Amino acid sequence: EQVFGHIKDEFLRGRDWDTFEEFKADLEAYIHHWNHVRRQVRLKGLPPVEAMKLKNLVTGFLYGGDGEE
């Protein structure tokens, strides 16, 4: 639910698109931004992709694998 609140506030509110294709392209760009650029407090200031890389690195180090489950 929290993600959808952010999407409404940061992406949808006050915007209009002329075509579905424009909307889809903008939404895909926003999702990429959310996952790769936007820093998140709950992830100690990291974007989700970076937090996952760090988790996999630590898991691999601790358990002797590559960190992939």
Side-chain angles (χ1 to χ4, degrees):
E1 284 186 23
Q2 186 176 15
V3 171
F4 293 112
H6 284 285
I7 290 173
K8 281 191 321 190
D9 290 341
E10 297 175 5
F11 177 70
L12 294 173
R13 195 173 310 273
R15 296 181 69 187
D16 291 314
W17 292 267
D18 292 327
T19 67
F20 176 75
E21 289 75 23
E22 289 176 358
F23 167 79
K24 184 179 173 190
D26 285 352
L27 181 59
E28 288 172 352
Y30 178 78
I31 291 170
H32 182 272
H33 172 80
W34 178 276
N35 287 323
H36 295 268
V37 178
R38 186 180 187 277
R39 299 184 180 283
Q40 300 187 25
V41 172
R42 67 183 177 84
L43 298 176
K44 301 193 181 347
L46 295 172
V49 169
E50 293 301 317
M52 186 61 68
K53 286 179 186 177
L54 182 60
K55 176 186 176 268
N56 288 340
L57 180 67
V58 169
T59 301
F61 177 76
L62 292 176
Y63 298 104
D66 62 3
E68 298 294 320
E69 300 290 324

